[in-house]
Amino acid sequence: MYFIIKIHIIALSVFLLSSCASKPTEASVAYGDFLQTIALKGTTVPVDTALFRYPFRIRVQGDKVAVMDLHSTDHFCHLFHYPDFRYLASLGKRGEAPGEVLSSENIRWNGEFLWLLDTGKSEINRYGVSLSGDSLSRQEAVKIDEEVLRTLDFVQYDDSTFIIPDYSGDSRFCLINRKGHLLRKTGTIPTGNTDALQNARPALAQAWRSFIDYNPRNGVLAAVTQLGEVLEVYNLKDSTHVVRIGPHGEPEFKVAEGYGIPTGIMGFSDVQVTDKAIYAVFHGRSFKEIMQNAQKGIQVDGGQYIYVFSLHGEPLCKYVLDHYIYGISVNESEGIIYATDVNQDDPIIKYKMKYKRREI
């Protein structure tokens, strides 16, 4: 979202110490074809469409659904009842005053609590269920240390530790505690571009902007690049790290006045680690194509694919969708994927998965 062209990481300490050398325990592995390619047709979910401008993230937890609006003018998050998607409340009021949100990039559930990242104020806000039970109220604000450069995503490792990507280029992840203090940095960007790694780390970090997700039940942390086609899988239980590189390769960029300007393709836009697999939204369109389409008045935003990988990063299934989407929420037990489509007035799409798991 913050390139010149506007496009839109005890057990843990053992892993951190082993990864400080920034070398994965397995070499980078290229992937090609998926075991299955399946076309999916979505069903539109009726919601109050007047609430949204750019529904970027959708998170389902229990009987509630939270949808984050990236470009909201009033509130960044809207709460619905699940599964009927009845509107409950809005939270994260936009503004500069205390308790308000300047800009948001992600939301995550942790039990009954919803965490909302305020990138503009470098805060992670916790919202809890109100007395009525239908809405959420702000209960805590974690102010992130100034030495952490621009927080664009986060996951909660446990009740006292957050993992966020490092955009200084000095490491891959920053770990902060519940008070927002930086505990340590770890790893490096797994690039083959040694020149950029040595001489243009901030620009490299911009180009390698990644969306992340973590599942505490299996200890898997996944990161997917916004540009190019790279998946990283960190297992925080056995301290392994696998890098999977798709046909489009690493993020491509050029450096101009210290900034990384994308020149290749739009890659991934969301990722979710479930108990059985890793799901990621993939775009795969070049910036040249995007610009050409814009000149023709064709402005379609999002990715038409959901890639399914094993918890070790092996490609399992490629879903081809009938919508261009940005965010997903996967319910494996129900076999359902909810997705956000920023291109239409009815932005919530429901997909029924058809993937048949095979032994690898």
Side-chain angles (χ1 to χ4, degrees):
M1 297 305 301
Y2 295 97
F3 295 110
I4 297 293
I5 298 176
K6 187 175 181 182
I7 56 174
H8 311 26
I9 179 203
I10 351 186
L12 176 61
S13 62
V14 173
F15 170 77
L16 295 173
L17 291 173
S18 65
S19 63
C20 284
S22 77
K23 297 294 184 181
T25 55
E26 293 186 26
S28 298
V29 179
Y31 68 84
D33 294 336
F34 287 77
L35 295 180
Q36 300 180 55
T37 298
I38 301 174
L40 292 184
K41 185 175 182 180
T43 302
T44 298
V45 177
V47 294
D48 187 346
T49 59
L51 295 169
F52 303 110
R53 293 190 64 197
Y54 200 96
F56 190 58
R57 292 287 179 257
I58 180 169
R59 310 293 185 198
V60 181
Q61 173 75 20
D63 64 351
K64 292 182 176 60
V65 182
V67 180
M68 196 207 85
D69 192 336
L70 191 67
H71 299 323
S72 173
T73 56
D74 299 311
H75 293 83
F76 283 100
C77 187
H78 305 289
L79 201 64
F80 301 87
H81 182 266
Y82 183 80
D84 59 0
F85 279 79
R86 170 174 50 86
Y87 172 74
L88 297 176
S90 296
L91 54 95
K93 182 179 180 181
R94 184 167 193 150
E96 300 182 12
E100 296 181 339
V101 178
L102 195 56
S103 64
S104 184
E105 290 285 342
N106 211 343
I107 53 173
R108 297 190 182 277
W109 288 103
N110 184 356
E112 291 296 315
F113 298 109
L114 181 71
W115 292 89
L116 182 150
L117 171 62
D118 184 343
T119 300
K121 292 183 178 181
S122 294
E123 291 180 348
I124 306 176
N125 297 308
R126 179 172 64 90
Y127 295 82
V129 179
S130 65
L131 293 177
S132 66
D134 287 338
S135 63
L136 299 179
S137 59
R138 185 173 180 262
Q139 299 179 351
E140 180 183 358
V142 178
K143 183 66 177 179
I144 303 171
D145 276 354
E146 293 183 358
E147 56 189 308
V148 177
L149 182 63
R150 195 165 184 82
T151 304
L152 296 179
D153 204 351
F154 76 103
V155 293
Q156 193 169 9
Y157 173 72
D158 56 24
D159 289 340
S160 62
T161 311
F162 295 95
I163 304 172
I164 62 177
D166 180 17
Y167 290 99
S168 69
D170 296 333
S171 65
R172 194 68 176 110
F173 297 106
C174 299
L175 282 88
I176 64 170
N177 64 18
R178 194 66 172 261
K179 294 183 179 180
H181 299 157
L182 178 65
L183 299 175
R184 62 180 62 86
K185 293 186 176 185
T186 183
T188 59
I189 298 169
T191 179
N193 190 341
T194 56
D195 180 66
L197 193 59
Q198 294 175 0
N199 303 310
R201 287 190 175 185
L204 179 68
Q206 292 172 38
W208 274 76
R209 177 190 176 174
S210 297
F211 302 105
I212 63 175
D213 192 39
Y214 175 66
N215 187 328
R217 292 181 295 276
N218 52 35
V220 173
L221 171 69
V224 293
T225 56
Q226 184 181 30
L227 306 178
E229 191 174 348
V230 182
L231 162 71
E232 291 179 79
V233 183
Y234 300 80
N235 190 308
L236 305 192
K237 290 186 176 181
D238 62 19
S239 301
T240 57
H241 173 205
V242 179
V243 182
R244 303 284 184 179
I245 303 177
H248 292 91
E250 290 189 19
E252 297 179 13
F253 68 102
K254 61 182 180 181
V255 181
E257 298 181 356
Y259 290 95
I261 302 176
T263 58
I265 67 153
M266 278 291 290
F268 298 94
S269 63
D270 199 9
V271 62
Q272 183 177 341
V273 182
T274 67
D275 291 346
K276 298 179 180 179
I278 300 169
Y279 296 77
V281 179
F282 186 68
H283 295 217
R285 292 185 295 152
S286 69
F287 287 99
K288 181 179 180 180
E289 176 188 349
I290 294 171
M291 296 296 287
Q292 289 175 341
N293 286 341
Q295 292 173 357
K296 297 176 184 178
I298 305 173
Q299 297 186 10
V300 179
D301 202 358
Q304 204 172 6
Y305 309 97
I306 296 177
Y307 286 179
V308 186
F309 301 89
S310 75
L311 296 177
H312 301 287
E314 296 101 336
L316 301 178
C317 178
K318 177 170 68 175
Y319 286 125
V320 183
L321 312 178
D322 60 342
H323 289 261
Y324 289 85
I325 67 169
Y326 251 93
I328 55 173
S329 181
V330 182
N331 186 323
E332 281 184 319
S333 63
E334 295 182 4
I336 293 172
I337 300 176
Y338 288 99
T340 59
D341 181 349
V342 301
N343 304 287
Q344 62 176 40
D345 291 336
D346 296 305
I348 310 300
I349 311 298
K350 178 182 178 180
Y351 288 99
K352 185 69 176 178
M353 290 189 281
K354 299 179 180 180
Y355 170 60
K356 295 181 179 180
R357 188 171 299 277
R358 297 175 182 174
E359 295 296 330
I360 297 177

